Amino acid sequence: MTKESTTIDVGEPSTVTKSSSHVVVDGKKKKGFVAAAAGGGAKRGLAIFDFLLRLGAIAVTIGAASVMYTAEETLPFFTQFLQFQAGYDDLPAFQYFVIAVAIVASYLVLSLPFSIIAIIRPLAVAPRLILLIFDTLVVTLNTSAAAAAASIVYLAHNGNQSTNWLPICQQFGDFCQNVSTAVVAASIAILFFIVLIIISAVALKRH
Amino acid sequence: MTKESTTIDVGEPSTVTKSSSHVVVDGKKKKGFVAAAAGGGAKRGLAIFDFLLRLGAIAVTIGAASVMYTAEETLPFFTQFLQFQAGYDDLPAFQYFVIAVAIVASYLVLSLPFSIIAIIRPLAVAPRLILLIFDTLVVTLNTSAAAAAASIVYLAHNGNQSTNWLPICQQFGDFCQNVSTAVVAASIAILFFIVLIIISAVALKRH
C-alpha cells in the first residue's frame, strides 16, 4: 500500500484536487495508477473535510468544557437551602463532564497530525484506521459526559416529585442556563464525531 | 467487487475457514484470486466473530432493558416521602433507558441478516459499511441511555448535599440494586459495540 502511494507525486497537498492530481507513471500499470490517483483525489477531499470537522469539534468541545467549568452563580440572598452558591463542582456529573470533555478536546488536538497525514497520503490505511478506532472510543466518552450532565440538568430544571428532589433552577437560573449550553455544545460534538467516523469508514473501504 | 467474490465457491459458510477455503480459479490472475481468498478467509473469521458478538450484545441489552423495566419496589411501611413505591417510570432517565436500550436490542436483531451476509460474502463492502455506520449511531444511543441512568443511580445512592437531593437507596435498596445491574449491563453492551465497530473497520480496509 505504501509502495503504491509513494509513486504518486502529490505536490502541494492544499492545492491538489481530484482534477489536478499530477501522477508519475512509470509506463506499465498505467491504468491502475490513474484509478488509484482518482480514488486518492476523492479520499483527499474526504481527508480535508475530516481535518476541518476536527477543528470545528475542537472549538465546540473546548467551548463546552470551559462554559461548564466557569458556570457559577452566587445568590445575593439566602434561600431555603443552606448554601447560596452553585458551581460545577457541586455535582459529580458536572465534574465528570468537565474532565471528560477536556480529554476529548485534547484527543482531538492530538489527532490533527494523523488527519494531516491522511491528507498528504490519502491512500494510506494506517492513519485512517487509528483515527476511526480512537474516534469510536472517544465518542463514547463524549456521549457519556453529555448524557450524564443532561440527566442532572433535566433534574435541576424539573425536579422529581417521586424522589422529592426539588428543582434548583428557580434559584440558580444563570447557572442552569450555562450548564445547559455546555450540554448542548457537547451534544453537537457527538454529531461531529459520527460524521468523522463515517468519513473514516468510507475512506477505508476498497474501491 | 461482487464479480470477484462470486468466483469464490464458499461452500458451507460455517465450516469454511481461512485454511480450508476452496477457490475456483479460471487459470489467469491465479495469484490475485488466491490472495483475495486468503483475505476473504480472514474476513470471514472476523464476520463470524461479529455475528457472535451481536448475539452476545442482544442478550445483554435485552437483559438490561428488562431488568430496568421490571425494577420495582413497594415498601411495607410509610416513609418520610408521601409515596412508598418506586418503579422505573418514576424517573425520566430510567424511562429513557428502557426505551433507548429496547431500540438498541431491536436494531441488533435487525442487524443480524447483514452480519450473515458478511459471513457469506466476506469481501462485500456494502453490508460492512452499513453495519459500521449504524453501529456508530446506535452506540451513542446506548451510551447516552447508560450514562443518563448512571447519573441518576449515583444520585439515588449518594444524594447531593449542595442541592439538598436526599439519597433514596436507603429506602429502596432492591430497586437501586436492580437499576444498577441494568446500567452495568448497558455499559457492557457499549464494549461489545466498540469491538463490533473495530471489526467492521478492519474488515473494510484494503489489503
Side-chain angles (χ1 to χ4, degrees), chain A residues 1 43 81 83 90-93 123 125 129 132-133 136-137 139-140 143-144 147-148 151-152 154-156 160 162-166 168 190 194 197-198 201-206, chain B residues 1 43 81 83 90-93 123 125 129 132-133 136-137 139-140 143-144 147-148 151-152 154-156 160 162-166 168 190 194 197-198 201-206:
Chain A
M1 201 60 257
K43 289 188 179 193
F81 305 114
Q83 59 119 45
D90 285 323
L91 288 151
L123 293 172
V125 169
L129 200 59
L132 198 154
I133 290 170
T136 304
L137 292 173
V139 74
T140 59
T143 308
S144 67
S151 187
I152 298 298
Y154 181 87
L155 204 58
N160 190 286
S162 308
T163 55
N164 211 26
W165 292 335
L166 298 171
I168 57 162
I190 298 171
I194 289 173
I197 290 171
I198 293 173
V202 171
L204 264 182
K205 82 170 166 53
R206 293 151 292 152
Chain B
M1 198 62 258
K43 288 186 180 194
F81 306 114
Q83 58 117 48
D90 286 323
L91 287 151
L123 293 172
V125 169
L129 200 59
L132 198 154
I133 291 170
T136 305
L137 293 174
V139 73
T140 59
T143 308
S144 66
S151 189
I152 299 298
Y154 181 87
L155 203 58
N160 190 286
S162 308
T163 54
N164 211 26
W165 292 336
L166 298 171
I168 58 161
I190 298 171
I194 289 174
I197 291 171
I198 293 173
V202 171
L204 265 181
K205 82 169 166 55
R206 294 152 291 153

Side-chain angles (χ1 to χ4, degrees), chain A residues 53-74:
Chain A
L53 274 177
R54 275 173 209 281
L55 292 180
I58 289 170
V60 169
T61 48
I62 289 177
S66 49
V67 165
M68 180 66 91
Y69 185 73
T70 56
E72 203 175 25
E73 188 173 3
T74 308

Side-chain angles (χ1 to χ4, degrees), chain B residues 113-172:
Chain B
F114 291 90
S115 186
I116 292 169
I117 292 171
I119 294 174
I120 299 170
R121 294 276 200 85
L123 293 172
V125 169
R128 282 290 174 202
L129 200 59
I130 291 167
L131 285 178
L132 198 154
I133 291 170
F134 281 94
D135 282 354
T136 305
L137 293 174
V138 169
V139 73
T140 59
L141 184 66
N142 194 346
T143 308
S144 66
S151 189
I152 299 298
V153 167
Y154 181 87
L155 203 58
H157 273 288
N158 301 296
N160 190 286
Q161 282 219 303
S162 308
T163 54
N164 211 26
W165 292 336
L166 298 171
I168 58 161
C169 284
Q170 276 99 322
Q171 286 87 41
F172 298 100

Side-chain angles (χ1 to χ4, degrees), chain B residues 66-133:
Chain B
S66 49
V67 166
M68 180 65 90
Y69 185 74
T70 56
E72 203 176 24
E73 189 172 2
T74 308
L75 297 185
F77 49 86
F78 279 84
T79 67
Q80 53 173 323
F81 306 114
L82 285 174
Q83 58 117 48
F84 45 101
Q85 187 185 23
Y88 83 97
D89 49 357
D90 286 323
L91 287 151
F94 294 164
Q95 286 179 303
Y96 173 67
F97 182 94
V98 170
I99 296 165
V101 176
I103 291 171
V104 171
S106 313
Y107 159 76
L108 281 167
V109 172
L110 292 174
S111 76
L112 286 179
F114 291 90
S115 186
I116 292 169
I117 292 171
I119 294 174
I120 299 170
R121 294 276 200 85
L123 293 172
V125 169
R128 282 290 174 202
L129 200 59
I130 291 167
L131 285 178
L132 198 154
I133 291 170

